[in-house]
Amino acid sequence: MAPLKVTIVGSGNWGSAIARIVGATTKQNPGEFDSTVKMWVFEEMIDGRKLSEIINETHENVKYLPGKILPDNVVAVPDLLESCQDANVLIFVVPHQFVGRICSTLKGNLKADGVQAISLIKGVSVRKEGGLKLISEEIEEALGLDCSVLMGANLAPEVAADNFCEATIGCKQRKDQGPILKKLFHTPHFRINVVEDAHTVELCGALKNIVACAAGFSDGLGYGDNTKAAIIRLGLMEMTKFVEHYYPGSNLETFFESCGVADLITTCYGGRNRKVCEAFVKAGGKPLAEIEKELLNGQSAQGPLTAEEVYLMMEKQGGLHDKFPLFTAVHKICSGKVEPTGLIDCLRNHPEHMRDF
């Protein structure tokens, strides 16, 4: 078999951090991977120069990952079709609201066979009838590809700094696709475990951002670690119930992988969702979108949007809000329907605290 050609669809903070890993592993495994890794860059002008040109000349994404050098085999390509047309492996790492538009452009323009995808995107979408649609399912349905997922306790700056990290790959065809995907991402400082419970892996990655928003509200209100511990515990309970509701029979052990409790804890103490939601409370009425723009340098916080989509999903399916009060409270606070202090009322009155002996 010819070496597999790899394309990274996305070049933000996380996409650039992953590019450092994938650029290295493809070089180290020339029998399995083509040496050139293409990275699709949404073109922007930085001080009068094109971002893609800066990346290719300096091997640095000066906007989204400044100070970290990308391997010289990572090539920035501003044309989406050009970056993907010959790829065997597509690594999707863009904000989840852009997936539909990207897939629409790629449809019919990829290789006829031998193409697989892996999503590093933490979010969900809603089907027209109100049901849940995973981002991996959206990619599969749009492009006719198998799509695995990679999730974990992976704050991009720490990954880019080569700090020790773990991640989980959820792969429906674990024996067929798992080995090559592990070889693509596994390094001495970025350790990969592969499981077949892909739905749980992906939902953990999406839902933990909602819980991180609650942690940010708590920080903004001035509460301490005890309150945050309660948010993490109740949030994890709602995550497990949500996954079981939509995908019965999920493996409980998956929640103890990096994609589960580890990612939840990390995101509730660091990460952009917690940061934005803390600032939202302290700003006292400034719109969340404005705060996001001020703090994230063009990146987006996925938690508020995921909370909205989960809320609408539950509403369309007969009002499941009472089963997931923390998720519901986060959406109502983000949308301005409830004051941030309403989070504490949610914690006090959570059904978990109302159980009889």
Side-chain angles (χ1 to χ4, degrees):
M1 290 181 60
L4 300 176
K5 295 182 178 181
V6 179
T7 293
I8 303 170
V9 183
S11 57
N13 187 230
W14 186 211
S16 297
I18 283 297
R20 296 184 79 250
I21 291 173
V22 171
T25 58
T26 50
K27 272 188 175 182
Q28 293 162 5
N29 296 281
E32 284 79 16
F33 303 109
D34 189 273
S35 60
T36 298
V37 175
K38 294 181 180 179
M39 180 174 71
W40 174 61
V41 174
F42 181 79
E43 194 69 279
E44 301 177 64
M45 299 302 294
I46 308 295
D47 296 329
R49 298 182 64 196
K50 293 180 179 179
L51 179 57
S52 62
E53 293 179 355
I54 295 173
I55 292 172
N56 288 334
E57 291 175 13
T58 68
H59 306 295
E60 180 185 358
N61 188 333
V62 294
K63 180 169 184 180
Y64 295 112
L65 198 65
K68 299 298 179 183
I69 300 301
L70 303 177
D72 57 11
N73 62 322
V74 174
V75 178
V77 181
D79 185 279
L80 178 62
L81 292 181
E82 181 185 343
S83 69
C84 296
Q85 61 186 0
D86 295 324
N88 303 101
V89 181
L90 297 172
I91 302 171
F92 284 87
V93 54
V94 293
H96 78 271
Q97 62 266 35
F98 301 134
V99 171
R101 188 189 316 166
I102 288 170
C103 288
S104 178
T105 302
L106 292 177
K107 188 174 182 179
N109 291 296
L110 300 175
K111 294 179 67 173
D113 52 30
V115 183
Q116 61 177 304
I118 181 165
S119 171
L120 280 63
I121 302 168
K122 298 179 177 180
V124 294
S125 59
V126 183
R127 296 186 184 276
K128 291 181 179 179
E129 65 275 16
L132 173 70
K133 180 188 283 187
L134 300 175
I135 300 302
S136 63
E137 292 174 334
E138 187 171 358
I139 294 169
E140 288 176 340
E141 292 172 11
L143 301 179
L145 307 175
D146 287 330
C147 186
S148 302
V149 295
L150 184 151
M151 305 285 157
N154 308 137
L155 298 180
E158 295 187 18
V159 173
D162 294 334
N163 292 354
F164 179 82
C165 304
E166 296 178 318
T168 311
I169 290 179
C171 191
K172 296 171 187 175
Q173 300 182 44
R174 183 172 179 268
K175 292 182 179 179
D176 294 332
Q177 298 172 342
I180 197 68
L181 290 175
K182 182 165 183 173
K183 188 167 287 189
L184 183 60
F185 292 98
H186 192 74
T187 75
H189 55 268
F190 193 71
R191 311 301 284 179
I192 298 293
N193 191 28
V194 182
V195 301
E196 288 186 343
D197 193 10
H199 293 136
T200 302
V201 173
E202 186 167 3
L203 276 171
C204 282
L207 298 174
K208 59 91 183 181
N209 282 333
I210 303 177
V211 185
C213 289
F217 296 145
S218 177
D219 287 343
L221 292 167
Y223 289 89
D225 288 340
N226 291 347
T227 305
K228 188 175 289 188
I231 289 169
I232 292 172
R233 186 183 77 85
L234 295 171
L236 181 59
M237 290 188 66
E238 290 194 17
M239 287 168 60
T240 59
K241 289 179 180 179
F242 190 92
V243 173
E244 184 61 24
H245 178 84
Y246 283 98
Y247 292 95
S250 58
N251 188 347
L252 184 62
E253 291 183 2
T254 304
F255 290 97
F256 296 93
E257 294 285 344
S258 180
C259 64
V261 66
D263 195 9
L264 177 61
I265 293 170
T266 298
T267 312
C268 285
Y269 278 92
R272 65 187 70 160
N273 291 282
R274 189 217 60 80
K275 178 180 179 181
V276 165
C277 288
E278 178 184 16
F280 173 70
V281 175
K282 291 181 175 179
K286 185 181 289 188
L288 192 61
E290 187 175 332
I291 291 172
E292 183 179 293
K293 186 176 181 180
E294 291 174 356
L295 294 181
L296 298 186
N297 190 34
Q299 299 284 87
S300 62
Q302 296 293 287
L305 181 57
T306 303
E308 179 183 14
E309 290 170 334
V310 165
Y311 182 87
L312 294 174
M313 192 185 312
M314 294 189 293
E315 195 168 57
K316 287 183 178 181
Q317 295 204 317
L320 298 173
H321 307 110
D322 290 343
K323 292 184 177 180
F324 304 100
L326 185 63
F327 292 171
T328 300
V330 168
H331 166 65
K332 289 185 175 180
I333 294 169
C334 288
S335 59
K337 297 175 183 176
V338 171
E339 291 294 320
T341 52
L343 173 70
I344 306 305
D345 293 331
C346 168
L347 299 179
R348 290 192 183 107
N349 300 317
H350 197 282
E352 170 64 11
H353 298 141
M354 303 301 172
R355 293 185 299 176
D356 293 329
F357 288 102

